[in-house]
Amino acid sequence: MQDSRNLTKLKQVALVLIISLALTLISTFQTSALSLGGQLDLNIDYSRETDTFDAGGTLGIDMSSWAGDNIHLRTGLNLDFTEDRVTADIDEANLTYFGQDVDIILGWQKITWGAVDNNSPVDNLNPRDLSDPFSEDNKISVPAIRTAYFHSEIDFDLVWQPYAVGWNLPGITAEMPERTIENSVAGIRAGYSAPAFDLAASYFRGVAAEPAAIISETGEVEGLEHFREQVIGAEMVYEYSGVILRADLALAIPEEGEFYPENELRYAATLESNITPDLLMMLGIQGSNEIDQDSENTAVVSLNYLYDFYTEISLGFGYGINEGDFIINPEFSRDLADGLELKIGAYYFNGEAGPYGQFSDQDQLYLSLSQSF
Amino acid sequence: MILKKVLTMSAIIALLFPLFAQTLLAGDMTGREIIDRSNALENVQDMEAEMRMEIIRDDRVREREMIMYSLQAEDGTEKSLIRFLSPADVRESGFLNISYADGEDESWLYLPALGRERRMSSEERGGDFMGSDFTNEDMTRTIDDYEYELLGTREINGREVYEVESLPLTDEIAEQVEFARKITYIDAEHLYLHKEETYNERDEKIKELTTDNVTEITDELHLPLKMIMRDLENDGKTIISYEEIEVNTGLTADDFTTRALTRPLR
């Protein structure tokens, strides 16, 4: 919690610094006009377990501007409100220098690695905020210096975070290690693109944002800890005859210690294809396998049908292969006007344990309105 | 939300500047030669344009604004990049398509919410272009997939036009593009598009494209800045208006990369 408060204060300081710098650059370089945009989301959820309705929403505001031809400044603010509280946090606040072959991004940012869209095992630089497990955008921005180099079909990405930021898990606390250079986070990724496929390899070293359980010799969970680890990753995207395969593979190697877990293989792959021009199907599998241990896998299927330009009907299904648990997520969405979207849907969980069964008391119906501006 | 946008925008394939034209001395040309020479990108190295699209359904009008860049490389590769300016929920999104001389295509989509570019399938020829009454094939005709016959000449709006019939070469292509034949009317002097009619397998006219606001871009290039597509089956209408068009602006291959696709808009 202390880390969380410090993080917010640091972000506030960073926002003030970046806005000050932006104003200086704007006056110096005759920048482009300030671009202002955002989104207002209003939600009503009905919980089957408690027979209650919850209302809330989020206001996201993004501001950006160019200073000269090469410098871009961006800040984002999120305001979350529920029936009894309002919280504010800075989403991203960074400055980007666009060079001839190099881009440098400095500040709070979100960095996406991996071929699959969600939960890629090689996407380890940003922690997740699981205070709302149903949120589509749950990445927490991190302070970092990112340098991207581009040469023909090859690109390199080099990231350094001065300190690690942990996942936000409701009701669970795991102390972050001391903020030292040794505990900083670094990653490098090299990508190659060719007709019909993309390949990438990556290396991550630092404190894992996701805490792991400390298991005693008797097999009991003694607590949670952010282990230092290395992750060697590989990514691939391949298109053949209208079918897209996306696959990520990662080998996580925790640094040695008394209670540290074993090396672990993590993987995720999806196949997607338009069955008709209006119907997209995605099949996926993801899981992990501690070396010499049983694997834990989930399979997902989603169908998205575009009824017309304004209306989409989707059905998501996830299945925990080990526990036999599952989730069903039907959803109807309609654009009521340009930028105004209505969504109505439901989450139904089934099972005693596993990735979906653990939420079996959180079945819900939801309705949301989103207005972009 | 993201998937919806992906699904919607995956329908965009290589939005090139469609057909429409250059000035030529009209000699004895075949139907194929007329179509070839009416392809604007055959005659310039690159193009840049702002475009507004109005999709009209009953009394409802939806507007999309975008900026488009196109490049014809020396090896025959055609590259196009689209960035969306409005409405707000798709602003900053973009689409990159590279169409190789051997007929292979590859496409990437950029959605700010994803935080990176995303390779897409490029096999959606018959699908709607962004939910409009244009199909992807309307926007990016694969010229080699049809046989052409010059049916003759006639007069439209006081100008002499060529009447060219296009037939898909195979049943498979006909199935993909979802029409049986097209009749295209091309200006005999400046080789820009006047009108195009689309027919289904029962030889019923299902769509009609008309153009307006023909403008001289260069001495050699005349383009209609307004295109109106009517879907005669569902009574839909889509109007595409080019706000500004510039040609030979010096765009290079570096302007058609995934890096360029994800760069913030100015």
Side-chain angles (χ1 to χ4, degrees):
Chain A
M1 186 59 78
Q2 186 63 42
D3 278 339
S4 174
R5 281 200 295 268
N6 287 339
L7 181 67
T8 301
K9 285 177 188 170
L10 281 166
K11 280 185 172 179
Q12 288 166 350
V13 171
L15 180 66
V16 170
L17 286 175
I18 284 185
I19 289 175
S20 304
L21 186 56
L23 292 172
T24 304
L25 289 166
I26 285 169
S27 59
T28 305
F29 289 97
Q30 299 292 312
T31 68
S32 63
L34 187 69
S35 173
L36 183 67
Q39 184 167 307
L40 174 65
D41 297 324
L42 301 173
N43 311 299
I44 299 175
D45 303 329
Y46 168 72
S47 167
R48 191 177 72 148
E49 180 77 10
T50 59
D51 192 20
T52 56
F53 287 91
D54 284 322
T58 303
L59 175 63
I61 298 173
D62 282 303
M63 293 173 288
S64 64
S65 180
W66 281 90
D69 291 332
N70 299 96
I71 296 173
H72 182 258
L73 299 124
R74 176 170 182 240
T75 58
L77 178 71
N78 281 335
L79 203 63
D80 291 314
F81 43 93
T82 62
E83 288 169 345
D84 53 3
R85 68 185 171 87
V86 176
T87 57
D89 198 4
I90 294 165
D91 184 25
E92 290 189 83
N94 54 57
L95 179 153
T96 304
Y97 169 77
F98 291 96
Q100 181 69 30
D101 299 315
V102 176
D103 296 343
I104 299 170
I105 308 175
L106 177 64
W108 267 260
Q109 55 193 287
K110 295 177 181 176
I111 300 149
T112 303
W113 287 358
V116 301
D117 289 335
N118 297 304
N119 301 323
S120 168
V122 305
D123 192 20
N124 295 304
L125 289 160
N126 291 98
R128 306 297 199 275
D129 179 358
L130 297 188
S131 56
D132 176 4
F134 305 113
S135 170
E136 291 177 342
D137 178 15
N138 58 16
K139 276 192 173 182
I140 300 172
S141 62
V142 290
I145 300 171
R146 181 182 190 186
T147 303
Y149 172 75
F150 303 89
H151 179 73
S152 191
E153 293 83 16
I154 298 172
D155 61 272
F156 292 96
D157 204 358
L158 186 62
V159 180
W160 181 69
Q161 292 173 225
Y163 58 86
V165 179
W167 284 35
N168 183 11
L169 298 165
I172 296 175
T173 303
E175 283 295 315
M176 293 300 295
E178 192 180 349
R179 289 180 181 175
T180 62
I181 290 290
E182 187 190 21
N183 285 335
S184 66
V185 176
I188 185 168
R189 176 183 180 275
Y192 173 74
S193 186
F197 71 90
D198 303 319
L199 294 174
S202 61
Y203 174 75
F204 166 95
R205 179 169 187 164
V207 175
E210 181 181 6
I214 302 170
I215 310 294
S216 71
E217 290 180 355
T218 59
E220 294 178 0
V221 176
E222 294 193 338
L224 292 171
E225 189 170 326
H226 292 271
F227 297 108
R228 287 179 53 81
E229 67 176 2
Q230 301 173 67
V231 180
I232 300 166
E235 308 167 28
M236 180 184 74
V237 183
Y238 178 66
E239 179 191 6
Y240 180 74
S241 193
V243 178
I244 299 264
L245 167 67
R246 306 179 198 278
D248 293 328
L249 179 66
L251 174 62
I253 308 169
E255 295 197 352
E256 291 184 5
E258 186 179 3
F259 299 119
Y260 281 45
E262 299 294 323
N263 294 354
E264 189 174 67
L265 267 180
R266 301 166 184 166
Y267 39 85
T270 61
L271 273 177
E272 64 187 50
S273 177
N274 275 88
I275 298 172
T276 71
D278 301 322
L279 180 61
L280 174 71
M281 183 176 72
M282 191 273 287
L283 305 173
I285 186 163
Q286 68 178 46
S288 61
N289 186 355
E290 276 192 32
I291 306 302
D292 299 328
Q293 301 288 317
D294 291 337
S295 59
E296 294 183 4
N297 294 299
T298 57
V300 292
V301 179
S302 74
L303 291 166
N304 292 68
Y305 176 63
L306 208 57
Y307 175 74
D308 58 28
F309 187 46
Y310 312 111
T311 310
E312 181 189 11
I313 301 164
S314 67
L315 179 64
F317 176 74
Y319 179 68
I321 293 172
N322 297 70
E323 300 289 341
D325 53 324
F326 64 86
I327 178 178
I328 298 174
N329 172 213
E331 185 178 279
F332 167 88
S333 66
R334 182 167 174 81
D335 288 344
L336 302 176
D338 278 341
L340 178 61
E341 184 185 51
L342 167 73
K343 286 200 289 194
I344 300 171
Y347 292 106
Y348 172 72
F349 298 92
N350 186 279
E352 300 296 322
Y356 306 117
Q358 63 181 310
F359 298 111
S360 59
D361 60 349
Q362 295 193 32
D363 294 345
Q364 64 171 246
L365 299 171
Y366 59 88
L367 181 151
S368 75
L369 267 178
S370 300
Q371 174 68 62
S372 301
F373 55 90
Chain B
M1 183 70 172
I2 288 174
L3 270 176
K4 179 178 181 181
K5 288 178 179 172
V6 168
L7 184 64
T8 304
M9 293 216 233
S10 69
I12 307 164
I13 306 279
L15 180 66
L16 299 178
F17 294 85
L19 299 178
F20 332 148
Q22 69 164 351
T23 299
L24 271 190
L25 292 175
D28 292 328
M29 290 192 291
T30 64
R32 168 64 192 244
E33 285 169 336
I34 291 168
I35 294 294
D36 273 343
R37 292 181 177 187
S38 67
N39 182 351
L41 268 186
E42 287 292 310
N43 312 293
V44 296
Q45 187 172 352
D46 64 71
M47 279 188 166
E48 184 177 332
E50 280 193 37
M51 185 180 106
R52 190 174 74 246
M53 183 162 70
E54 297 165 84
I55 303 165
I56 301 162
R57 297 283 182 276
D58 300 322
D59 295 333
R60 301 175 70 180
V61 179
R62 294 293 175 91
E63 286 193 9
R64 299 281 178 270
E65 290 182 309
M66 60 201 86
I67 187 163
M68 304 185 300
Y69 307 90
S70 246
L71 176 72
Q72 172 88 51
E74 288 181 1
D75 63 359
T77 302
E78 291 182 353
K79 302 184 177 189
S80 59
L81 178 70
I82 306 171
R83 298 300 301 275
F84 291 86
L85 306 175
S86 71
D89 58 340
V90 296
R91 180 173 163 78
E92 296 274 352
S93 302
F95 193 78
L96 170 67
N97 179 269
I98 299 177
S99 184
Y100 296 96
D102 64 4
E104 293 298 315
D105 274 21
E106 52 183 346
S107 308
W108 289 267
L109 176 74
Y110 171 62
L111 297 175
L114 279 179
R116 54 155 187 180
E117 73 281 3
R118 188 176 192 272
R119 184 183 280 272
M120 302 297 297
S121 168
S122 51
E123 293 202 356
E124 283 298 325
R125 303 177 62 178
D128 295 340
F129 171 68
M130 294 184 63
S132 73
D133 297 293
F134 289 85
T135 64
N136 299 310
E137 188 65 7
D138 291 326
M139 310 301 285
T140 67
R141 179 87 52 88
T142 307
I143 292 176
D144 289 338
D145 280 353
Y146 304 89
E147 60 179 333
Y148 303 92
E149 184 180 354
L150 176 58
L151 300 179
T153 58
R154 57 185 289 189
E155 194 173 291
I156 294 180
N157 298 330
R159 293 192 63 84
E160 185 183 15
V161 299
Y162 293 120
E163 185 176 352
V164 180
E165 182 184 54
S166 312
L167 299 171
L169 277 178
T170 64
D171 291 342
E172 186 184 0
I173 292 170
E175 191 174 328
Q176 285 178 356
V177 300
E178 298 178 3
F179 66 83
R181 70 183 183 109
K182 279 183 187 282
I183 304 290
T184 308
Y185 301 92
I186 294 174
D187 191 88
E189 182 185 3
H190 295 301
L191 292 177
Y192 60 81
L193 181 78
H194 276 266
K195 191 166 83 163
E196 188 167 75
E197 299 162 345
T198 304
Y199 295 84
N200 63 15
E201 66 280 1
R202 295 186 297 277
D203 210 33
E204 298 162 338
K205 186 159 73 172
I206 53 175
K207 285 187 176 180
E208 183 174 87
L209 172 65
T210 54
T211 65
D212 202 356
N213 292 359
V214 176
T215 300
E216 181 179 314
I217 306 296
T218 68
D219 289 345
E220 294 80 24
L221 185 64
H222 291 65
L223 293 177
L225 299 187
K226 188 172 186 180
M227 293 183 288
I228 303 152
M229 177 69 89
R230 288 184 175 82
D231 187 324
L232 305 177
E233 292 183 307
N234 67 14
D235 205 26
K237 184 166 82 171
T238 298
I239 301 171
I240 289 180
S241 305
Y242 291 95
E243 306 286 307
E244 290 179 28
I245 293 184
E246 292 181 73
V247 298
N248 298 332
T249 59
L251 295 174
T252 69
D254 286 344
D255 297 307
F256 297 86
T257 61
T258 51
R259 182 192 186 197
L261 177 65
T262 59
R263 194 169 179 154
L265 288 170
R266 286 184 178 277

